[in-house]
């Protein structure tokens, strides 16, 4: 007598369910869905954290972490491009009432985001090539990229039709002011944000 194989139904996870499962199993990793693909980023290193801390300071000095706006690390942006797409920028300047605009999976409607910042890591191509289109499609007015690999700070503004129409590139030795449309004049020192050359 032989035993017949018993077939068990196999449920297909949605992208959101898969991302949530990965996130629960990889503590400290950042899980995002971009272009209907799951992206998993390992925990940041010390120089990444230093750059993030240093770029936060001028925002706080300008009073943008109180009143009408808040400065928040790792807050999710729900993207309009895909049914499950979301990203988690390193830093965001959001309207103070952001909690009144929830979307899915602990993310918020992009309408509350005034600015997002990404500090590049090993997956720098995502920050430089993929995320600009995503943030522009979401209508986020200002996207700042601290490009540690290429030693520059890029400021992308004026989003329209899925792209930023204005790109400003700032190099070591320079200081620049972000658009006052974010709520105040914020001056960034490129050397401070990039940190020492390795």
């Amino acid at each position: 007598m032989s035993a017949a194989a018993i077939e068990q139904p196999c449920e297909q996870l949605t992208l959101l369910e898969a991302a949530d499962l990965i996130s629960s199993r990889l503590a400290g990793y950042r899980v995002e869905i971009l272009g209907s693909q799951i992206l998993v980023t390992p925990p940041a290193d010390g120089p990444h954290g230093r750059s993030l801390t240093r770029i936060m300071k001028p925002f706080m000095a300008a009073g943008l972490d109180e009143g009408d706006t808040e400065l928040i690390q790792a807050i999710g942006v729900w993207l309009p491009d895909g049914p499950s797409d979301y990203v988690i920028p390193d830093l965001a300047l959001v309207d103070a009432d952001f909690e009144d605009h929830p979307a899915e999976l602990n993310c918020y409607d992009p309408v509350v985001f005034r600015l997002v910042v990404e500090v590049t890591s090993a997956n720098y191509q995502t920050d430089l090539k993929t995320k600009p289109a995503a943030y522009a499609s979401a209508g986020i007015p200002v996207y700042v990229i601290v490009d540690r690999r290429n030693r520059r700070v890029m400021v992308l503004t004026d989003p329209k039709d899925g792209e930023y129409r204005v790109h400003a590139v700032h190099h070591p030795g320079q200081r620049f002011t972000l658009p006052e449309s974010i709520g105040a004049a914020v001056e960034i020192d490129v050397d401070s944000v990039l940190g020492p050359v390795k």
Side-chain angles (χ1 to χ4, degrees):
M1 186 168 180
S2 64
I6 299 174
E7 290 188 24
Q8 296 287 333
C10 180
E11 286 188 35
Q12 183 76 15
L13 294 177
T14 67
L15 276 175
L16 286 176
E17 291 168 337
D20 192 41
L21 180 64
I22 293 167
S23 183
S24 71
R25 299 225 172 132
L26 295 174
Y29 282 70
R30 182 170 299 177
V31 180
E32 303 167 297
I33 301 175
L34 190 55
S36 296
Q37 293 186 3
I38 295 176
L39 303 175
V40 180
T41 306
D45 61 13
H48 179 282
R50 179 176 46 226
S51 289
L52 184 57
T53 299
R54 288 183 178 173
I55 201 164
M56 289 175 59
K57 290 179 180 179
F59 287 92
M60 296 175 115
L64 289 175
D65 193 36
E66 54 193 38
D68 293 340
T69 57
E70 287 194 45
L71 196 60
I72 302 177
Q73 294 181 40
I75 182 174
V77 181
W78 193 256
L79 298 173
D81 287 346
S84 304
D85 286 15
Y86 69 94
V87 290
I88 305 170
D90 290 318
L91 183 66
L93 181 66
V94 296
D95 293 338
D97 69 347
F98 73 94
E99 290 178 285
D100 295 337
H101 303 273
E104 300 282 333
L105 200 66
N106 296 323
C107 295
Y108 296 90
D109 189 315
V111 72
V112 301
F113 290 79
R114 295 185 183 196
L115 169 144
V116 293
V117 177
E118 295 285 6
V119 178
T120 61
S121 295
N123 64 341
Y124 68 97
Q125 290 294 349
T126 302
D127 294 335
L128 296 174
K129 301 210 183 275
T130 311
K131 287 189 177 179
Y135 289 136
S137 292
I140 296 175
V142 181
Y143 175 31
V144 177
I145 306 167
V146 178
D147 183 358
R148 297 184 305 146
R149 181 185 181 99
N150 296 303
R151 307 279 308 155
R152 62 188 179 177
V153 177
M154 301 169 62
V155 180
L156 312 182
T157 57
D158 197 14
K160 186 172 183 180
D161 299 327
E163 65 181 44
Y164 285 101
R165 295 186 294 183
V166 178
H167 294 224
V169 180
H170 306 282
H171 300 281
Q174 296 181 325
R175 294 174 153 293
F176 65 92
T177 303
L178 290 167
E180 288 191 39
S181 62
I182 64 171
V186 174
E187 185 178 76
I188 304 294
D189 178 334
V190 175
D191 290 326
S192 174
V193 170
L194 289 175
V197 178
K198 288 185 178 184

